[in-house]
């Protein structure tokens, strides 16, 4: 007769409530790899039997793990381990999203959707401190991570400063790396604004998202060591694939 596995009982004399203890047990199972991404957790009834706790304790523990982004729930099917999302730091750094993603060890692909020169709009001129009507390069690219669309970004750069950039092949290339190597630009800082938005149908299709699915909108103005702005971009980021990390010290 096969024996049921034993589970260490929760400590009813501890200061931590039972739901926190159970949440910690399940978190350890996930973080240790004993429970794998998209693997089903034991059912509520199984957890009640294993740890001799009430359904309220189990549900509070599972809700805590949902809030932490460690599990997700599927109606009528149960709870599952959430796929791991890499922590990306480029919101608070000048490495650029491409370099930050490559550090995660995932397959990164960058496709140029559109590239054209145009007259700077009033908003572009203000961001780049140039005159309205000056020639700029408008570059639309989509970045894929492991073949999944991750970032759709519209970048504007002044052609007076980067006269040959319009002819550059930026397919699967880091823009920041290209600017460093060919124009001697060393990014030194940026202002970035983040908001939750619903993309239009065209952008949602490029990101392979259903209509109405929210994304993070990121606007950035980057400047060099002399304090001169050289790049203005607006990006749409699929927040279901990754999360951002900003350290404050």
């Amino acid at each position: 007769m096969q024996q049921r596995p034993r589970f260490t009982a929760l400590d009813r004399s501890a200061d931590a409530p039972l739901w926190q203890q159970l949440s910690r047990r399940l978190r350890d199972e996930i973080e240790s790899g004993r429970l794998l991404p998209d693997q089903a957790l034991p059912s509520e009834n199984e957890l009640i039997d294993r740890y001799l706790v009430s359904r309220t304790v189990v549900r509070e523990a599972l809700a805590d793990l949902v809030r932490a982004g460690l599990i997700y729930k599927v109606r009528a099917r149960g709870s599952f381990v959430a796929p791991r999302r890499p922590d990306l730091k480029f919101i608070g750094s000048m490495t650029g999203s491409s370099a930050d993603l490559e550090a995660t060890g995932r397959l990164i692909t960058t496709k140029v959707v559109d590239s054209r020169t145009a007259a700077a709009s009033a908003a572009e001129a203000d961001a780049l401190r140039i005159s309205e009507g000056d020639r700029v390069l408008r570059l639309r690219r989509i970045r894929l991570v492991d073949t999944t669309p991750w970032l759709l970004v519209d970048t504007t750069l002044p052609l007076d400063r980067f006269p040959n950039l319009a002819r550059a092949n930026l397919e699967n290339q880091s823009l920041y790396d290209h600017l460093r190597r060919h124009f001697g630009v060393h990014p030194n800082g940026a202002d970035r604004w983040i908001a939750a938005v619903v993309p239009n149908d065209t952008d949602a299709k490029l990101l392979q998202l259903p209509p109405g699915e929210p994304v993070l909108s990121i606007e950035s103005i980057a400047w060099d060591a002399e304090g001169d702005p050289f790049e203005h971009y607006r990006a749409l980021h699929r927040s279901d694939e990754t999360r951002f990390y900003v350290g404050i010290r």
Side-chain angles (χ1 to χ4, degrees):
M1 180 178 178
Q2 186 178 7
Q3 292 185 341
R4 294 178 63 185
R6 294 185 177 183
F7 299 92
T8 305
L10 303 180
D11 186 356
R12 282 168 166 74
S13 64
D15 291 334
L18 294 177
W19 71 265
Q20 285 187 355
Q21 295 183 50
L22 179 55
S23 175
R24 181 69 261 178
R25 292 285 178 85
L26 295 173
R27 180 187 292 260
D28 289 344
E29 293 283 315
I30 294 169
E31 293 179 346
S32 68
R34 289 190 291 272
L35 288 173
L36 300 175
D38 296 314
Q39 180 178 344
L41 269 68
S43 68
E44 288 186 2
N45 288 336
E46 288 176 306
L47 292 172
I48 290 170
D49 291 341
R50 285 184 183 184
Y51 296 102
L52 302 177
V53 293
S54 69
R55 191 172 301 277
T56 299
V57 167
V58 169
R59 289 182 174 175
E60 287 183 353
L62 295 177
D64 185 53
L65 294 174
V66 170
R67 288 192 295 269
L70 293 173
I71 69 172
Y72 62 94
K73 291 190 172 185
V74 179
R75 186 176 179 85
R77 292 185 58 196
S79 301
F80 298 81
V81 178
R84 294 182 180 178
R85 300 187 296 173
D87 290 343
L88 301 179
K89 303 178 182 179
F90 85 93
I91 286 296
S93 74
M94 289 307 301
T95 60
S97 61
S98 179
D100 197 17
L101 283 164
E102 287 173 357
T104 68
R106 302 175 73 178
L107 175 64
I108 312 304
T109 306
T110 302
K111 295 183 178 180
V112 176
V113 178
D114 189 31
S115 177
R116 65 182 65 187
T117 60
S121 66
E124 292 169 329
D126 182 62
L128 295 170
R129 297 182 198 164
I130 59 178
S131 298
E132 185 175 354
D134 282 358
R135 303 302 292 175
V136 295
L137 173 66
R138 291 179 184 159
L139 183 65
R140 166 164 270 215
R141 294 169 298 156
I142 187 163
R143 185 153 292 143
L144 299 92
V145 179
D146 297 334
T147 72
T148 298
W150 177 83
L151 183 77
L152 177 64
V153 56
D154 291 290
T155 305
T156 303
L157 302 109
L159 279 178
D160 182 58
R161 183 166 184 178
F162 309 117
N164 300 317
L165 188 58
R167 296 196 295 271
N169 180 11
L170 295 175
E171 197 90 359
N172 292 322
Q173 300 293 323
S174 164
L175 176 61
Y176 277 18
D177 184 56
H178 184 89
L179 296 181
R180 287 188 188 98
R181 289 187 290 107
H182 295 276
F183 298 96
V185 173
H186 296 279
N188 193 54
D191 289 318
R192 288 182 178 142
W193 297 265
I194 306 173
V197 301
V198 175
N200 60 40
D201 291 344
T202 299
D203 293 347
K205 186 175 181 180
L206 285 170
L207 288 167
Q208 295 181 12
L209 290 173
E213 182 78 14
V215 297
L216 287 180
S217 170
I218 306 166
E219 181 179 2
S220 175
I221 300 173
W223 62 86
D224 59 19
E226 286 71 42
D228 295 324
F230 66 89
E231 176 204 40
H232 176 234
Y233 76 67
R234 297 179 185 271
L236 298 179
H237 171 263
R238 277 185 59 159
S239 56
D240 61 329
E241 290 296 318
T242 51
R243 62 181 185 177
F244 290 120
Y245 165 78
V246 179
I248 299 174
R249 301 290 186 268

